[in-house]
Amino acid sequence: MAKLVQFDRIGGPEVLTLREVEVGAPGAGEVRIRVDAIGLNRAEIMYREGAYFYAPVFPSLLGYEAAGVVEAVGEGVTSLAEGDAVGVVPQFLQTDYGTYGDHVIVPASAVVPRPAGVDPVRAAAVWMAYITAYGPLAESGRVRPGDHVLITAASSSVGLAAIQIARHVGAIPIATTRGPGKKQRLLDAGAAHVIVTDEEDLPARIKEITGGEGVRLAFDPVAGPGVETLAQGIAPGGFLVVYGALDPRPTPLPNAQSFPALNSSTYTLFEITTDPERLRRAVAFVNAGLASGSFDPVVDRTFDLADIAEAHRYMAANEQVGKIVVTVGHEGAAS
């Protein structure tokens, strides 16, 4: 029997239940993984609360990311073998698969080799964050060496990955945070500048930092009316990329009445992970950064699988800097 986290109704962390279930054998195109660590994502909170872009089907699984070891492969799977150390990348719907458990079945196409020398906890913190930032900052070709990049909500795991990727490609990361408490940690994480938005005028500070030019790209998970303010700090011909909806209010087309020379778009990492060739490039890029030391996943705190509800409460409090990871114990098993 395996332990899986499921929920039967929309609600707060209290709806999450750890159950013993029979996982069974993987089907065609699937693998079964012994999970050692699980990376948590705000998308999973939104899904649990019924605020995500698709609705749960009950009893619902949960979870996009994990690190572990392949236990069994299904028919037609030739790229993976029993005993392989792997990570799971977000590629599927949580109505079909989930990673919150000690043994899970996932599509083989969503499984990648674990980078050498990266332990399960750090491996569980890699893929959602780095692939999300990789698309607009590296794959798109929009960001050039010397460009300024604005990274909002920068203390998130994606924000921290974006800081590292911006530096890796030679760009200058400007991070934002609402209050002063996280400023030094963002500077320590590699941000060239940090703007505290509760205390500073964002467009004015951007102009000051960039010598009046503005940023080449703003990378924003918040959305809502705040994009109007972000747009004021973007250079002519620059880019606004919205990759989340933390603000549930409608998101306007920024400064539309003045017809700015601004390219605005939405983005999710599924644009990368569901395209085999783009995913191959992303994995190669991230693995190269991990191997060189340019990329170092920031783990804020770990929780045990039995404390999954508390882990969700901690994430909802928005106090973390970096990734929250859930660890899974296996008596007598090696990681």
Side-chain angles (χ1 to χ4, degrees):
M1 299 292 283
K3 293 180 180 178
L4 285 179
V5 175
Q6 297 179 325
F7 65 108
D8 299 319
R9 67 185 192 280
I10 296 299
E14 70 280 355
V15 304
L16 300 177
T17 304
L18 188 60
R19 294 172 175 158
E20 289 200 353
V21 301
E22 185 65 51
V23 173
E30 297 177 332
V31 298
R32 189 177 72 230
I33 294 172
R34 186 204 75 201
V35 176
D36 296 317
I38 303 158
L40 301 194
N41 298 287
R42 195 160 296 275
E44 292 141 23
I45 289 182
M46 297 173 71
Y47 180 65
R48 187 202 72 223
E49 293 176 338
Y52 203 39
F53 71 92
Y54 59 90
V57 175
F58 302 121
S60 184
L61 299 171
L62 201 65
Y64 278 129
E65 283 186 288
V69 175
V70 174
E71 287 188 319
V73 301
E75 181 183 350
V77 177
T78 58
S79 58
L80 298 162
E82 183 179 339
D84 286 351
V86 295
V88 180
V89 303
Q91 186 196 74
F92 45 80
L93 299 182
Q94 294 170 104
T95 49
D96 300 324
Y97 299 95
T99 59
Y100 284 20
D102 59 0
H103 300 267
V104 301
I105 291 176
V106 292
S109 58
V111 178
V112 298
R114 186 193 307 172
V118 179
D119 63 78
V121 169
R122 291 176 66 240
V126 169
W127 296 112
M128 174 73 88
Y130 284 86
I131 293 180
T132 299
Y134 160 82
L137 274 68
E139 169 87 359
S140 70
R142 294 170 179 168
V143 176
R144 306 158 304 195
D147 284 341
H148 289 86
V149 175
L150 183 70
I151 301 163
T152 65
S155 60
S156 69
S157 58
V158 175
L160 294 169
I163 289 172
Q164 294 179 14
I165 290 176
R167 292 179 66 91
H168 185 70
V169 301
I172 304 165
I174 304 171
T176 76
T177 182
R178 291 180 60 185
K182 297 177 181 180
K183 180 175 181 176
Q184 188 58 50
R185 294 184 69 178
L186 289 170
L187 290 169
D188 293 343
H193 306 274
V194 176
I195 301 173
V196 179
T197 56
D198 284 351
E199 299 178 349
E200 301 177 89
D201 183 302
L202 180 65
R205 281 289 289 129
I206 291 172
K207 296 292 186 182
E208 179 184 344
I209 291 166
T210 63
E213 179 180 348
V215 299
R216 170 72 173 174
L217 182 143
F219 186 52
D220 176 53
V222 181
V227 298
E228 296 272 17
T229 303
L230 296 182
Q232 295 174 40
I234 299 174
F239 300 87
L240 168 65
V241 178
V242 175
Y243 69 95
L246 297 179
D247 187 335
R249 293 175 294 175
T251 301
L253 183 64
N255 303 333
Q257 293 181 348
S258 64
F259 295 95
L262 170 67
N263 303 280
S264 59
S265 63
T266 57
Y267 164 80
T268 76
L269 87 166
F270 294 106
E271 296 176 29
I272 305 291
T273 61
T274 58
D275 182 317
E277 181 57 22
R278 297 182 80 185
L279 178 58
R280 183 193 64 78
R281 291 197 298 268
V283 171
F285 178 87
V286 174
N287 279 344
L290 290 168
S292 70
S294 293
F295 303 159
D296 185 14
V298 177
V299 176
D300 178 272
R301 185 173 171 185
T302 62
F303 290 82
D304 186 80
L305 182 61
D307 300 319
I308 187 65
E310 186 58 34
H312 268 229
R313 290 188 186 95
Y314 180 68
M315 175 170 278
N318 200 33
E319 296 299 322
Q320 80 274 10
V321 175
K323 195 78 164 181
I324 300 167
V325 175
V326 169
T327 57
V328 184
H330 298 278
E331 217 167 303
S335 309

PDB file of all heavy atoms in Angstrom, residues 196-215:
ATOM      1  N   VAL A 196      11.441  48.091  -2.819  1.00  0.00           N
ATOM      2  CA  VAL A 196      10.424  47.780  -1.814  1.00  0.00           C
ATOM      3  C   VAL A 196       9.177  48.571  -2.192  1.00  0.00           C
ATOM      4  O   VAL A 196       9.105  49.789  -1.990  1.00  0.00           O
ATOM      5  CB  VAL A 196      10.913  48.139  -0.397  1.00  0.00           C
ATOM      6  CG1 VAL A 196       9.830  47.836   0.630  1.00  0.00           C
ATOM      7  CG2 VAL A 196      12.203  47.384  -0.070  1.00  0.00           C
ATOM      8  N   THR A 197       8.196  47.896  -2.745  1.00  0.00           N
ATOM      9  CA  THR A 197       7.086  48.605  -3.391  1.00  0.00           C
ATOM     10  C   THR A 197       6.145  49.298  -2.412  1.00  0.00           C
ATOM     11  O   THR A 197       5.438  50.232  -2.800  1.00  0.00           O
ATOM     12  CB  THR A 197       6.280  47.648  -4.286  1.00  0.00           C
ATOM     13  OG1 THR A 197       5.828  46.532  -3.506  1.00  0.00           O
ATOM     14  CG2 THR A 197       7.149  47.150  -5.442  1.00  0.00           C
ATOM     15  N   ASP A 198       6.110  48.870  -1.149  1.00  0.00           N
ATOM     16  CA  ASP A 198       5.274  49.566  -0.166  1.00  0.00           C
ATOM     17  C   ASP A 198       5.894  50.898   0.254  1.00  0.00           C
ATOM     18  O   ASP A 198       5.210  51.738   0.854  1.00  0.00           O
ATOM     19  CB  ASP A 198       5.057  48.700   1.076  1.00  0.00           C
ATOM     20  CG  ASP A 198       4.043  47.592   0.852  1.00  0.00           C
ATOM     21  OD1 ASP A 198       3.382  47.604  -0.204  1.00  0.00           O
ATOM     22  OD2 ASP A 198       3.897  46.714   1.730  1.00  0.00           O
ATOM     23  N   GLU A 199       7.174  51.077  -0.059  1.00  0.00           N
ATOM     24  CA  GLU A 199       7.879  52.273   0.416  1.00  0.00           C
ATOM     25  C   GLU A 199       8.419  53.133  -0.721  1.00  0.00           C
ATOM     26  O   GLU A 199       8.773  54.287  -0.492  1.00  0.00           O
ATOM     27  CB  GLU A 199       9.046  51.870   1.320  1.00  0.00           C
ATOM     28  CG  GLU A 199       8.628  51.099   2.563  1.00  0.00           C
ATOM     29  CD  GLU A 199       9.827  50.674   3.402  1.00  0.00           C
ATOM     30  OE1 GLU A 199      10.971  50.804   2.911  1.00  0.00           O
ATOM     31  OE2 GLU A 199       9.621  50.208   4.540  1.00  0.00           O
ATOM     32  N   GLU A 200       8.532  52.595  -1.922  1.00  0.00           N
ATOM     33  CA  GLU A 200       9.178  53.307  -3.008  1.00  0.00           C
ATOM     34  C   GLU A 200       8.261  53.395  -4.223  1.00  0.00           C
ATOM     35  O   GLU A 200       7.412  52.535  -4.437  1.00  0.00           O
ATOM     36  CB  GLU A 200      10.481  52.600  -3.409  1.00  0.00           C
ATOM     37  CG  GLU A 200      11.491  52.485  -2.266  1.00  0.00           C
ATOM     38  CD  GLU A 200      12.736  51.715  -2.695  1.00  0.00           C
ATOM     39  OE1 GLU A 200      13.674  52.368  -3.204  1.00  0.00           O
ATOM     40  OE2 GLU A 200      12.766  50.488  -2.524  1.00  0.00           O
ATOM     41  N   ASP A 201       8.456  54.437  -5.014  1.00  0.00           N
ATOM     42  CA  ASP A 201       7.724  54.609  -6.266  1.00  0.00           C
ATOM     43  C   ASP A 201       8.376  53.712  -7.307  1.00  0.00           C
ATOM     44  O   ASP A 201       9.506  53.974  -7.743  1.00  0.00           O
ATOM     45  CB  ASP A 201       7.791  56.080  -6.682  1.00  0.00           C
ATOM     46  CG  ASP A 201       6.999  56.375  -7.951  1.00  0.00           C
ATOM     47  OD1 ASP A 201       7.302  55.747  -8.996  1.00  0.00           O
ATOM     48  OD2 ASP A 201       6.105  57.229  -7.915  1.00  0.00           O
ATOM     49  N   LEU A 202       7.664  52.674  -7.735  1.00  0.00           N
ATOM     50  CA  LEU A 202       8.262  51.669  -8.605  1.00  0.00           C
ATOM     51  C   LEU A 202       8.747  52.241  -9.940  1.00  0.00           C
ATOM     52  O   LEU A 202       9.923  52.071 -10.295  1.00  0.00           O
ATOM     53  CB  LEU A 202       7.272  50.517  -8.837  1.00  0.00           C
ATOM     54  CG  LEU A 202       7.760  49.388  -9.743  1.00  0.00           C
ATOM     55  CD1 LEU A 202       8.945  48.655  -9.119  1.00  0.00           C
ATOM     56  CD2 LEU A 202       6.629  48.406 -10.040  1.00  0.00           C
ATOM     57  N   PRO A 203       7.911  52.941 -10.713  1.00  0.00           N
ATOM     58  CA  PRO A 203       8.419  53.464 -12.002  1.00  0.00           C
ATOM     59  C   PRO A 203       9.583  54.436 -11.826  1.00  0.00           C
ATOM     60  O   PRO A 203      10.542  54.414 -12.619  1.00  0.00           O
ATOM     61  CB  PRO A 203       7.189  54.159 -12.598  1.00  0.00           C
ATOM     62  CG  PRO A 203       6.015  53.504 -11.945  1.00  0.00           C
ATOM     63  CD  PRO A 203       6.462  53.193 -10.556  1.00  0.00           C
ATOM     64  N   ALA A 204       9.518  55.260 -10.791  1.00  0.00           N
ATOM     65  CA  ALA A 204      10.596  56.227 -10.576  1.00  0.00           C
ATOM     66  C   ALA A 204      11.909  55.522 -10.246  1.00  0.00           C
ATOM     67  O   ALA A 204      12.982  55.910 -10.742  1.00  0.00           O
ATOM     68  CB  ALA A 204      10.212  57.192  -9.449  1.00  0.00           C
ATOM     69  N   ARG A 205      11.849  54.502  -9.396  1.00  0.00           N
ATOM     70  CA  ARG A 205      13.066  53.758  -9.045  1.00  0.00           C
ATOM     71  C   ARG A 205      13.622  53.004 -10.250  1.00  0.00           C
ATOM     72  O   ARG A 205      14.841  52.934 -10.438  1.00  0.00           O
ATOM     73  CB  ARG A 205      12.775  52.791  -7.907  1.00  0.00           C
ATOM     74  CG  ARG A 205      12.731  53.431  -6.560  1.00  0.00           C
ATOM     75  CD  ARG A 205      14.124  53.868  -6.075  1.00  0.00           C
ATOM     76  NE  ARG A 205      14.946  52.698  -5.733  1.00  0.00           N
ATOM     77  CZ  ARG A 205      16.172  52.487  -6.191  1.00  0.00           C
ATOM     78  NH1 ARG A 205      16.745  53.358  -7.012  1.00  0.00           N
ATOM     79  NH2 ARG A 205      16.849  51.417  -5.828  1.00  0.00           N
ATOM     80  N   ILE A 206      12.732  52.454 -11.077  1.00  0.00           N
ATOM     81  CA  ILE A 206      13.210  51.775 -12.288  1.00  0.00           C
ATOM     82  C   ILE A 206      13.947  52.752 -13.192  1.00  0.00           C
ATOM     83  O   ILE A 206      15.037  52.462 -13.699  1.00  0.00           O
ATOM     84  CB  ILE A 206      12.037  51.117 -13.043  1.00  0.00           C
ATOM     85  CG1 ILE A 206      11.474  49.942 -12.242  1.00  0.00           C
ATOM     86  CG2 ILE A 206      12.490  50.642 -14.424  1.00  0.00           C
ATOM     87  CD1 ILE A 206      10.199  49.358 -12.825  1.00  0.00           C
ATOM     88  N   LYS A 207      13.364  53.922 -13.387  1.00  0.00           N
ATOM     89  CA  LYS A 207      14.002  54.933 -14.243  1.00  0.00           C
ATOM     90  C   LYS A 207      15.362  55.335 -13.670  1.00  0.00           C
ATOM     91  O   LYS A 207      16.340  55.522 -14.408  1.00  0.00           O
ATOM     92  CB  LYS A 207      13.093  56.164 -14.375  1.00  0.00           C
ATOM     93  CG  LYS A 207      11.773  55.899 -15.079  1.00  0.00           C
ATOM     94  CD  LYS A 207      11.957  55.584 -16.556  1.00  0.00           C
ATOM     95  CE  LYS A 207      10.603  55.466 -17.249  1.00  0.00           C
ATOM     96  NZ  LYS A 207      10.738  55.123 -18.680  1.00  0.00           N
ATOM     97  N   GLU A 208      15.414  55.466 -12.345  1.00  0.00           N
ATOM     98  CA  GLU A 208      16.673  55.843 -11.698  1.00  0.00           C
ATOM     99  C   GLU A 208      17.732  54.763 -11.904  1.00  0.00           C
ATOM    100  O   GLU A 208      18.881  55.048 -12.256  1.00  0.00           O
ATOM    101  CB  GLU A 208      16.423  56.069 -10.206  1.00  0.00           C
ATOM    102  CG  GLU A 208      17.662  56.443  -9.409  1.00  0.00           C
ATOM    103  CD  GLU A 208      17.362  56.549  -7.921  1.00  0.00           C
ATOM    104  OE1 GLU A 208      16.177  56.629  -7.536  1.00  0.00           O
ATOM    105  OE2 GLU A 208      18.330  56.537  -7.135  1.00  0.00           O
ATOM    106  N   ILE A 209      17.348  53.515 -11.705  1.00  0.00           N
ATOM    107  CA  ILE A 209      18.294  52.400 -11.817  1.00  0.00           C
ATOM    108  C   ILE A 209      18.784  52.234 -13.255  1.00  0.00           C
ATOM    109  O   ILE A 209      19.962  51.953 -13.498  1.00  0.00           O
ATOM    110  CB  ILE A 209      17.634  51.097 -11.318  1.00  0.00           C
ATOM    111  CG1 ILE A 209      17.419  51.146  -9.800  1.00  0.00           C
ATOM    112  CG2 ILE A 209      18.471  49.872 -11.691  1.00  0.00           C
ATOM    113  CD1 ILE A 209      16.492  50.067  -9.272  1.00  0.00           C
ATOM    114  N   THR A 210      17.873  52.414 -14.214  1.00  0.00           N
ATOM    115  CA  THR A 210      18.201  52.143 -15.619  1.00  0.00           C
ATOM    116  C   THR A 210      18.644  53.385 -16.383  1.00  0.00           C
ATOM    117  O   THR A 210      18.772  53.343 -17.613  1.00  0.00           O
ATOM    118  CB  THR A 210      16.994  51.514 -16.347  1.00  0.00           C
ATOM    119  OG1 THR A 210      15.908  52.457 -16.358  1.00  0.00           O
ATOM    120  CG2 THR A 210      16.554  50.227 -15.672  1.00  0.00           C
ATOM    121  N   GLY A 211      18.885  54.491 -15.685  1.00  0.00           N
ATOM    122  CA  GLY A 211      19.297  55.714 -16.361  1.00  0.00           C
ATOM    123  C   GLY A 211      18.222  56.274 -17.267  1.00  0.00           C
ATOM    124  O   GLY A 211      18.527  56.880 -18.302  1.00  0.00           O
ATOM    125  N   GLY A 212      16.971  56.063 -16.879  1.00  0.00           N
ATOM    126  CA  GLY A 212      15.840  56.597 -17.636  1.00  0.00           C
ATOM    127  C   GLY A 212      15.344  55.702 -18.753  1.00  0.00           C
ATOM    128  O   GLY A 212      14.327  55.988 -19.388  1.00  0.00           O
ATOM    129  N   GLU A 213      16.029  54.607 -18.997  1.00  0.00           N
ATOM    130  CA  GLU A 213      15.690  53.763 -20.147  1.00  0.00           C
ATOM    131  C   GLU A 213      14.484  52.861 -19.877  1.00  0.00           C
ATOM    132  O   GLU A 213      13.652  52.635 -20.758  1.00  0.00           O
ATOM    133  CB  GLU A 213      16.905  52.908 -20.512  1.00  0.00           C
ATOM    134  CG  GLU A 213      16.663  51.973 -21.685  1.00  0.00           C
ATOM    135  CD  GLU A 213      17.886  51.134 -22.011  1.00  0.00           C
ATOM    136  OE1 GLU A 213      18.978  51.439 -21.488  1.00  0.00           O
ATOM    137  OE2 GLU A 213      17.750  50.170 -22.785  1.00  0.00           O
ATOM    138  N   GLY A 214      14.391  52.310 -18.698  1.00  0.00           N
ATOM    139  CA  GLY A 214      13.365  51.313 -18.394  1.00  0.00           C
ATOM    140  C   GLY A 214      13.906  49.903 -18.569  1.00  0.00           C
ATOM    141  O   GLY A 214      15.015  49.694 -19.089  1.00  0.00           O
ATOM    142  N   VAL A 215      13.125  48.937 -18.147  1.00  0.00           N
ATOM    143  CA  VAL A 215      13.570  47.543 -18.222  1.00  0.00           C
ATOM    144  C   VAL A 215      13.198  46.937 -19.570  1.00  0.00           C
ATOM    145  O   VAL A 215      12.231  47.347 -20.213  1.00  0.00           O
ATOM    146  CB  VAL A 215      12.966  46.685 -17.084  1.00  0.00           C
ATOM    147  CG1 VAL A 215      13.399  47.207 -15.725  1.00  0.00           C
ATOM    148  CG2 VAL A 215      11.447  46.617 -17.173  1.00  0.00           C
TER     149      VAL A 215
END
